[in-house]
């Protein structure tokens, strides 16, 4: 294409592009998504091309209406119904056995499909207007940090997509929690914007897959993910400031930068604020001319699990 994408709030324009198989970036409460008609394999292929995403990494299908679950999935277990009644629209993706209507390219050949109803009002209106499901990964080049503003999308993919629907900064700031209902017992495949305690309250006991050992069921959850162009080291920030080579480090701290230059996720230690700021802070540091980011984990509870997962995936082994 080579032309910069337009940015705006014209849902009708976005709908027309999607109907004819084009790409639109759309806001969600978690991160911006790069959307195409999920029922049109050619349109879906152009998502993989625009992102340089390997074809083995399946996409989440986004719907605007509960009735659409039956169009994409062959089974909708009661536990999944209860969970989605409570938390959709919201930062929750469920993995179900798929129907043949969903092209193999969407699911990377898996017999399951990830489904989610996002909470952003503009995008919900768009999805309800078009009536077909859209496949949408996060709107970043493969492996890089996810976008939480329209400008983030424009900076990196602006010349590869037709239109960016601008919904302002994302509320939640980390991707959806993925829960699989494709086997007997529900399994959490990715920590995200819906906390595990809220899921347990509805469906009871769930397995939680440790990020390091669930390659087979979620081939896209690679450890090399969310990486900025400069290295991120994870540990004790003041200690790392003494040992990491180089003299131009930036801190990425939870409540403080320990007197270094850098970014604070939440001065008051509020986990929602920290999640909301995470990716934008990493992007600013990446563009700030530093040689490395020294980051620390946040308390490993609630949304902190999703934040720590993203920080871990962004990080490199200590030099
Ligand atoms: O919050 C979100 O989930 C955002 C917004 C745009 O909705 N989307 C998002 O998509 O994070 P993406 O493609 O960046 O990450 C989706 C992950 C993939 O890495 C893939 O491993 C997993 O979801 N996934 C998709 N379909 C799956 C399936 N059938 N089984 C297991 N994992 C699946
Ligand atoms: Mg992603």
């Amino acid at each position: 294409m080579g032309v910069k994408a337009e940015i705006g709030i014209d849902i009708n324009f976005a709908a027309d592009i999607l109907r004819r198989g084009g790409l639109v970036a759309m806001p969600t409460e978690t991160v911006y998504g790069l959307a195409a008609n999920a029922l049109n394999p050619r349109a879906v292929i152009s998502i993989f091309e625009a992102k340089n995403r390997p074809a083995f990494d399946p996409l989440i299908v986004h719907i605007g209406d509960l009735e659409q679950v039956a169009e994409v999935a062959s089974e909708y277990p009661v536990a999944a119904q209860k969970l989605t009644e409570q938390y959709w629209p919201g930062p929750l993706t469920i993995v179900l056995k798929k129907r043949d209507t969903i092209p193999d390219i969407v699911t990377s050949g898996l017999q399951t499909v990830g489904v989610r109803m996002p909470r952003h009002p503009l995008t919900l209106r768009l999805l309800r207007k078009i009536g077909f499901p859209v496949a949408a990964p996060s709107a970043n080049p493969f492996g890089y940090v996810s976008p939480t503003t329209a400008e983030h999308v424009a900076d990196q993919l602006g010349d590869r997509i037709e239109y960016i629907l601008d919904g302002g900064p994302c509320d939640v700031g980390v991707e959806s929690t993925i829960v699989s209902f494709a086997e007997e017992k529900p399994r959490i495949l990715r920590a995200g914007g819906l906390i595990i305690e809220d899921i347990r309250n509805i469906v009871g006991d769930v397995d939680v897959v440790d990020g390091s050992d669930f390659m087979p069921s979620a081939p896209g959850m690679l450890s090399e993910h969310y990486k900025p162009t400069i290295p991120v080291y994870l540990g004790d920030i003041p200690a790392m400031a003494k040992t990491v080579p180089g003299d131009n480090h930036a801190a990425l701290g939870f409540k403080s930068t320990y007197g270094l230059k850098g970014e604070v996720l939440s001065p008051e230690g509020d986990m929602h604020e920290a999640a909301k700021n995470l990716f934008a802070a990493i992007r600013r540091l990446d563009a700030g001319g530093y040689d490395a980011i020294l980051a620390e984990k946040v308390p490993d509870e609630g949304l902190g699990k999703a934040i720590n997962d993203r920080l871990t995936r962004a990080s490199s082994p200590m030099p």
Side-chain angles (χ1 to χ4, degrees), residues 12 53 70 73 94 101 140 144 153 169 176 188 256 272 282 294:
N12 293 322
R53 181 176 174 116
I94 56 169
T101 45
N140 50 278
Y144 195 73
V153 181
S176 60
I188 296 183
S256 142
H272 286 94
I282 293 176
L294 311 181

Side-chain angles (χ1 to χ4, degrees), residues 148 169-174 271-281 307:
T148 52
C170 300
D171 261 359
V172 175
V174 290
M271 216 62 102
H272 286 94
E273 184 181 39
K276 185 169 176 168
N277 287 334
L278 178 67
F279 291 144
I307 297 172

Side-chain angles (χ1 to χ4, degrees), residues 115-150:
V115 191
R116 155 163 141 81
M117 191 190 295
R119 195 170 62 205
H120 198 287
L122 267 184
T123 290
L124 268 182
R125 274 165 54 206
L126 173 65
L127 291 170
R128 287 168 186 168
K129 177 177 276 288
I130 56 179
F132 54 80
V134 303
S138 52
N140 50 278
F142 182 71
Y144 195 73
V145 182
S146 301
T148 52
T149 67

